[in-house]
Amino acid sequence: MTGPEATPSFRLAYVPGVTPAKWVRIWNERLPDIPLVLVQVPAHGAQELLRAGDADAAFLRLPVDGTDLSAIPLYTETTVVVVPKDHLIAAVDELSVAELADEIVLHPMDDALPWEQLPGRPALERPASTGDAIELVAAGIGVLVVPQSLARLHHRKDLTYRPLTDAPESRVALSWPQEKTTDQVEDFIGIVRGRTVNSSRGRAGAAAAAQPKAKDRAKDKSKPKRASGTAAGKGSRGGAGGSGSKGARGAAAKRGKPRRRP
């Protein structure tokens, strides 16, 4: 879809933990004339940014509220519990949510997990952010359950993390305003879906796919046309050396012999 809503640059928002570098690199290779501008937003700020028109698309975590935003789920993250390196949990390879029953589990205001029931024991106050919660874990105040990408983002030498086998999982998606599905959005969707530059489903791919067909038509026109096999066949059967000429000579010989009168 083209029109006045198309922008001279493509604004891509992303929430903490998402790494868009691979897709940005492909965009820059394929569309060097359209700058891609990255906009980092808080975990719960991406949807508002899209609705306000301050980003063309965004990597965010599901669910998406309302029906005005389209979303393509991309991948699901492993959920982990962040603990100090000298904590008992650090001695195991993985654990279940039930094993956190005696732990103070911090629940930051920007929690990215869709909990139905929070595990463990609640802290006296909710940290304002995941970063603040990490500081409290390092101080020995409690433990923190987050998507693995956030544990890596807030990595500290004195902390470690272990997978939670039965915890809620975070799903990352690409989202954009449904009524603003511009050509640039379609191009980025193609990149995220792994379509090649010559894919017939993309705008550039469709044009590229049409070019070989035009060349093939030009080659066909330049080739000389062969004579029809049917016409050649008739000529060979009716020629001087064919069986038809023998029949004519035989008929002429019969007509040349005079008949005797009785």
Side-chain angles (χ1 to χ4, degrees), residues 76 168 238:
T76 301

Side-chain angles (χ1 to χ4, degrees), residues 62 204 218 262:
L62 297 175

Side-chain angles (χ1 to χ4, degrees), residues 228-242:
S228 172
T230 304
K234 290 181 179 179
S236 62
R237 287 195 297 270

